[in-house]
Each structure stands twice: as structure tokens, then as C-alpha cells.
Amino acid sequence: GKTSTSDLIKNWVASYAGNFVGSLFLAFLAFKSGTLGSAPASVAIATAKCSLPFSTAFVRGILCNWLVCMAVYMASGCASLAGKMVAVWFPISAFVALGLDHSVADMFII
């Protein structure tokens, strides 16, 4: 069936809000567990991400989305769980190593 524009927007808002609340909860747990220590590296990363010009952040988001979609596409072509894990590992590792911006992943760090 077809979905209305209002239902699509409701879905996007609910998904984004749920991811935001989940990232706040995960950040709270990481803070309370003491695993971050004084966290100078994470503060530097968050500051750098928030200081980017919009055009740079936008292009990084496009590149990140391309890698995430590639991971999903490659995983969908695998029959075994091990194959799916290997298929998503490299594109996701690449976007993290390149410092690309993924809105949901960045919610936790920022």
C-alpha cells in the first residue's frame, strides 16, 4: 500500500526521537560507568564535529550514508550470519575511520 506524507513524517520524527533518547541513555550509562575517564579525546571530537561548516558536514553525511547503504546492500546478499557480519564490518569501519558524520552515531559523541 501507499503511505501518506504525514505518516512518513511521523515515522521519521518518531525514529529520530527514539534514536536521540537512546543515544542520551547510552551516553549516560557510559558516563556513570566511568569508562570515558576525563574523556579529552571525545570532547575534542565533539567540538570538531560541531565546528564544521554546514557544507562540509553535509558532504560527510552523504559519504557516510553511501557507506551505510553499501553495508546494508552487501549484507542482504549474504546467506550466513558470518557473511553478513563481514559485509557490514568494512563499510562501517571505513566511515568511522574516515571521521564521516552519521547523525545517529554523532548523537552519542556530541
Side-chain angles (χ1 to χ4, degrees):
K2 295 194 174 198
T3 301
S4 67
T5 304
S6 66
D7 285 341
L8 176 66
I9 291 171
K10 284 181 203 173
N11 187 323
W12 280 350
V13 168
S15 176
Y16 199 80
N19 279 306
F20 182 70
V21 169
S23 70
L24 289 176
F25 182 65
L26 184 60
F28 173 75
L29 290 176
F31 172 74
K32 289 305 252 182
S33 70
T35 58
L36 297 177
S38 61
S42 58
V43 171
I45 292 169
T47 302
K49 287 183 177 286
C50 291
S51 302
L52 290 173
F54 176 78
S55 60
T56 303
F58 186 74
V59 171
R60 286 183 181 188
I62 291 171
L63 292 171
C64 181
N65 190 50
W66 180 72
L67 287 169
V68 169
C69 289
M70 182 192 303
V72 171
Y73 177 75
M74 289 173 22
S76 69
C78 298
S80 69
L81 178 60
K84 291 178 186 298
M85 290 169 57
V86 170
V88 300
W89 177 261
F90 291 106
I92 301 305
S93 296
F95 101 67
V96 171
L98 291 169
L100 300 178
D101 294 316
H102 185 278
S103 64
V104 176
D106 287 350
M107 284 180 191
F108 171 75
I109 199 75
I110 293 172

PDB file of all heavy atoms in Angstrom, residues 62-76 91-92:
ATOM      1  N   ILE A  62      26.582  12.628   3.375  1.00  0.00           N
ATOM      2  CA  ILE A  62      26.286  11.896   2.139  1.00  0.00           C
ATOM      3  C   ILE A  62      27.232  10.711   1.993  1.00  0.00           C
ATOM      4  O   ILE A  62      26.810   9.586   1.683  1.00  0.00           O
ATOM      5  CB  ILE A  62      26.387  12.835   0.914  1.00  0.00           C
ATOM      6  CG1 ILE A  62      25.242  13.846   0.931  1.00  0.00           C
ATOM      7  CG2 ILE A  62      26.384  12.033  -0.392  1.00  0.00           C
ATOM      8  CD1 ILE A  62      25.373  14.941  -0.099  1.00  0.00           C
ATOM      9  N   LEU A  63      28.524  10.944   2.211  1.00  0.00           N
ATOM     10  CA  LEU A  63      29.503   9.863   2.099  1.00  0.00           C
ATOM     11  C   LEU A  63      29.236   8.763   3.125  1.00  0.00           C
ATOM     12  O   LEU A  63      29.337   7.568   2.824  1.00  0.00           O
ATOM     13  CB  LEU A  63      30.919  10.410   2.264  1.00  0.00           C
ATOM     14  CG  LEU A  63      31.402  11.312   1.129  1.00  0.00           C
ATOM     15  CD1 LEU A  63      32.730  11.962   1.497  1.00  0.00           C
ATOM     16  CD2 LEU A  63      31.519  10.539  -0.172  1.00  0.00           C
ATOM     17  N   CYS A  64      28.886   9.159   4.335  1.00  0.00           N
ATOM     18  CA  CYS A  64      28.582   8.187   5.381  1.00  0.00           C
ATOM     19  C   CYS A  64      27.354   7.366   4.992  1.00  0.00           C
ATOM     20  O   CYS A  64      27.357   6.137   5.131  1.00  0.00           O
ATOM     21  CB  CYS A  64      28.348   8.897   6.704  1.00  0.00           C
ATOM     22  SG  CYS A  64      27.987   7.748   8.027  1.00  0.00           S
ATOM     23  N   ASN A  65      26.323   8.031   4.501  1.00  0.00           N
ATOM     24  CA  ASN A  65      25.111   7.334   4.107  1.00  0.00           C
ATOM     25  C   ASN A  65      25.399   6.347   2.978  1.00  0.00           C
ATOM     26  O   ASN A  65      24.849   5.247   2.950  1.00  0.00           O
ATOM     27  CB  ASN A  65      24.025   8.328   3.699  1.00  0.00           C
ATOM     28  CG  ASN A  65      22.690   7.652   3.519  1.00  0.00           C
ATOM     29  OD1 ASN A  65      22.245   6.917   4.386  1.00  0.00           O
ATOM     30  ND2 ASN A  65      22.053   7.889   2.385  1.00  0.00           N
ATOM     31  N   TRP A  66      26.266   6.743   2.062  1.00  0.00           N
ATOM     32  CA  TRP A  66      26.635   5.855   0.968  1.00  0.00           C
ATOM     33  C   TRP A  66      27.274   4.577   1.526  1.00  0.00           C
ATOM     34  O   TRP A  66      26.942   3.473   1.096  1.00  0.00           O
ATOM     35  CB  TRP A  66      27.582   6.592   0.012  1.00  0.00           C
ATOM     36  CG  TRP A  66      28.020   5.776  -1.145  1.00  0.00           C
ATOM     37  CD1 TRP A  66      27.270   5.405  -2.226  1.00  0.00           C
ATOM     38  CD2 TRP A  66      29.316   5.198  -1.337  1.00  0.00           C
ATOM     39  NE1 TRP A  66      28.026   4.636  -3.068  1.00  0.00           N
ATOM     40  CE2 TRP A  66      29.289   4.496  -2.555  1.00  0.00           C
ATOM     41  CE3 TRP A  66      30.493   5.216  -0.597  1.00  0.00           C
ATOM     42  CZ2 TRP A  66      30.384   3.814  -3.047  1.00  0.00           C
ATOM     43  CZ3 TRP A  66      31.590   4.546  -1.094  1.00  0.00           C
ATOM     44  CH2 TRP A  66      31.527   3.861  -2.300  1.00  0.00           C
ATOM     45  N   LEU A  67      28.183   4.721   2.484  1.00  0.00           N
ATOM     46  CA  LEU A  67      28.837   3.547   3.071  1.00  0.00           C
ATOM     47  C   LEU A  67      27.853   2.691   3.876  1.00  0.00           C
ATOM     48  O   LEU A  67      27.916   1.460   3.833  1.00  0.00           O
ATOM     49  CB  LEU A  67      30.022   3.971   3.936  1.00  0.00           C
ATOM     50  CG  LEU A  67      31.241   4.466   3.162  1.00  0.00           C
ATOM     51  CD1 LEU A  67      32.249   5.111   4.113  1.00  0.00           C
ATOM     52  CD2 LEU A  67      31.882   3.348   2.378  1.00  0.00           C
ATOM     53  N   VAL A  68      26.951   3.319   4.609  1.00  0.00           N
ATOM     54  CA  VAL A  68      25.960   2.560   5.384  1.00  0.00           C
ATOM     55  C   VAL A  68      25.036   1.798   4.437  1.00  0.00           C
ATOM     56  O   VAL A  68      24.739   0.616   4.659  1.00  0.00           O
ATOM     57  CB  VAL A  68      25.161   3.490   6.318  1.00  0.00           C
ATOM     58  CG1 VAL A  68      23.969   2.765   6.926  1.00  0.00           C
ATOM     59  CG2 VAL A  68      26.064   4.037   7.410  1.00  0.00           C
ATOM     60  N   CYS A  69      24.595   2.451   3.360  1.00  0.00           N
ATOM     61  CA  CYS A  69      23.742   1.766   2.380  1.00  0.00           C
ATOM     62  C   CYS A  69      24.496   0.622   1.709  1.00  0.00           C
ATOM     63  O   CYS A  69      23.920  -0.432   1.426  1.00  0.00           O
ATOM     64  CB  CYS A  69      23.223   2.751   1.339  1.00  0.00           C
ATOM     65  SG  CYS A  69      21.991   3.885   1.994  1.00  0.00           S
ATOM     66  N   MET A  70      25.786   0.826   1.448  1.00  0.00           N
ATOM     67  CA  MET A  70      26.600  -0.234   0.869  1.00  0.00           C
ATOM     68  C   MET A  70      26.663  -1.427   1.827  1.00  0.00           C
ATOM     69  O   MET A  70      26.561  -2.583   1.402  1.00  0.00           O
ATOM     70  CB  MET A  70      28.013   0.254   0.574  1.00  0.00           C
ATOM     71  CG  MET A  70      28.881  -0.812  -0.087  1.00  0.00           C
ATOM     72  SD  MET A  70      30.629  -0.427  -0.166  1.00  0.00           S
ATOM     73  CE  MET A  70      30.638   1.103  -1.024  1.00  0.00           C
ATOM     74  N   ALA A  71      26.809  -1.158   3.117  1.00  0.00           N
ATOM     75  CA  ALA A  71      26.854  -2.233   4.105  1.00  0.00           C
ATOM     76  C   ALA A  71      25.543  -3.012   4.118  1.00  0.00           C
ATOM     77  O   ALA A  71      25.548  -4.256   4.142  1.00  0.00           O
ATOM     78  CB  ALA A  71      27.150  -1.660   5.494  1.00  0.00           C
ATOM     79  N   VAL A  72      24.420  -2.307   4.083  1.00  0.00           N
ATOM     80  CA  VAL A  72      23.117  -2.973   4.088  1.00  0.00           C
ATOM     81  C   VAL A  72      22.940  -3.796   2.816  1.00  0.00           C
ATOM     82  O   VAL A  72      22.485  -4.950   2.857  1.00  0.00           O
ATOM     83  CB  VAL A  72      21.974  -1.944   4.247  1.00  0.00           C
ATOM     84  CG1 VAL A  72      20.611  -2.585   4.024  1.00  0.00           C
ATOM     85  CG2 VAL A  72      22.049  -1.278   5.608  1.00  0.00           C
ATOM     86  N   TYR A  73      23.318  -3.215   1.676  1.00  0.00           N
ATOM     87  CA  TYR A  73      23.195  -3.917   0.392  1.00  0.00           C
ATOM     88  C   TYR A  73      24.058  -5.178   0.380  1.00  0.00           C
ATOM     89  O   TYR A  73      23.613  -6.251  -0.033  1.00  0.00           O
ATOM     90  CB  TYR A  73      23.582  -2.974  -0.750  1.00  0.00           C
ATOM     91  CG  TYR A  73      23.566  -3.631  -2.103  1.00  0.00           C
ATOM     92  CD1 TYR A  73      22.364  -3.914  -2.735  1.00  0.00           C
ATOM     93  CD2 TYR A  73      24.754  -3.977  -2.742  1.00  0.00           C
ATOM     94  CE1 TYR A  73      22.339  -4.527  -3.975  1.00  0.00           C
ATOM     95  CE2 TYR A  73      24.747  -4.589  -3.975  1.00  0.00           C
ATOM     96  CZ  TYR A  73      23.539  -4.861  -4.589  1.00  0.00           C
ATOM     97  OH  TYR A  73      23.528  -5.464  -5.814  1.00  0.00           O
ATOM     98  N   MET A  74      25.306  -5.059   0.837  1.00  0.00           N
ATOM     99  CA  MET A  74      26.200  -6.213   0.842  1.00  0.00           C
ATOM    100  C   MET A  74      25.708  -7.284   1.809  1.00  0.00           C
ATOM    101  O   MET A  74      25.784  -8.484   1.514  1.00  0.00           O
ATOM    102  CB  MET A  74      27.620  -5.774   1.195  1.00  0.00           C
ATOM    103  CG  MET A  74      28.271  -4.985   0.085  1.00  0.00           C
ATOM    104  SD  MET A  74      29.879  -4.218   0.408  1.00  0.00           S
ATOM    105  CE  MET A  74      30.581  -5.079   1.732  1.00  0.00           C
ATOM    106  N   ALA A  75      25.189  -6.879   2.960  1.00  0.00           N
ATOM    107  CA  ALA A  75      24.684  -7.849   3.932  1.00  0.00           C
ATOM    108  C   ALA A  75      23.451  -8.569   3.401  1.00  0.00           C
ATOM    109  O   ALA A  75      23.252  -9.754   3.684  1.00  0.00           O
ATOM    110  CB  ALA A  75      24.367  -7.158   5.253  1.00  0.00           C
ATOM    111  N   SER A  76      22.641  -7.866   2.632  1.00  0.00           N
ATOM    112  CA  SER A  76      21.433  -8.502   2.098  1.00  0.00           C
ATOM    113  C   SER A  76      21.770  -9.585   1.081  1.00  0.00           C
ATOM    114  O   SER A  76      20.942 -10.459   0.814  1.00  0.00           O
ATOM    115  CB  SER A  76      20.496  -7.465   1.489  1.00  0.00           C
ATOM    116  OG  SER A  76      21.064  -6.923   0.310  1.00  0.00           O
ATOM    117  N   PRO A  91      32.523  -1.440   5.448  1.00  0.00           N
ATOM    118  CA  PRO A  91      31.973  -0.097   5.196  1.00  0.00           C
ATOM    119  C   PRO A  91      31.756   0.716   6.471  1.00  0.00           C
ATOM    120  O   PRO A  91      32.038   1.919   6.504  1.00  0.00           O
ATOM    121  CB  PRO A  91      30.641  -0.365   4.486  1.00  0.00           C
ATOM    122  CG  PRO A  91      30.752  -1.738   3.944  1.00  0.00           C
ATOM    123  CD  PRO A  91      31.666  -2.480   4.861  1.00  0.00           C
ATOM    124  N   ILE A  92      31.295   0.075   7.543  1.00  0.00           N
ATOM    125  CA  ILE A  92      31.063   0.803   8.792  1.00  0.00           C
ATOM    126  C   ILE A  92      32.392   1.219   9.409  1.00  0.00           C
ATOM    127  O   ILE A  92      32.547   2.350   9.898  1.00  0.00           O
ATOM    128  CB  ILE A  92      30.227  -0.047   9.777  1.00  0.00           C
ATOM    129  CG1 ILE A  92      28.873  -0.412   9.168  1.00  0.00           C
ATOM    130  CG2 ILE A  92      30.044   0.688  11.100  1.00  0.00           C
ATOM    131  CD1 ILE A  92      28.035   0.758   8.689  1.00  0.00           C
TER     132      ILE A  92
END
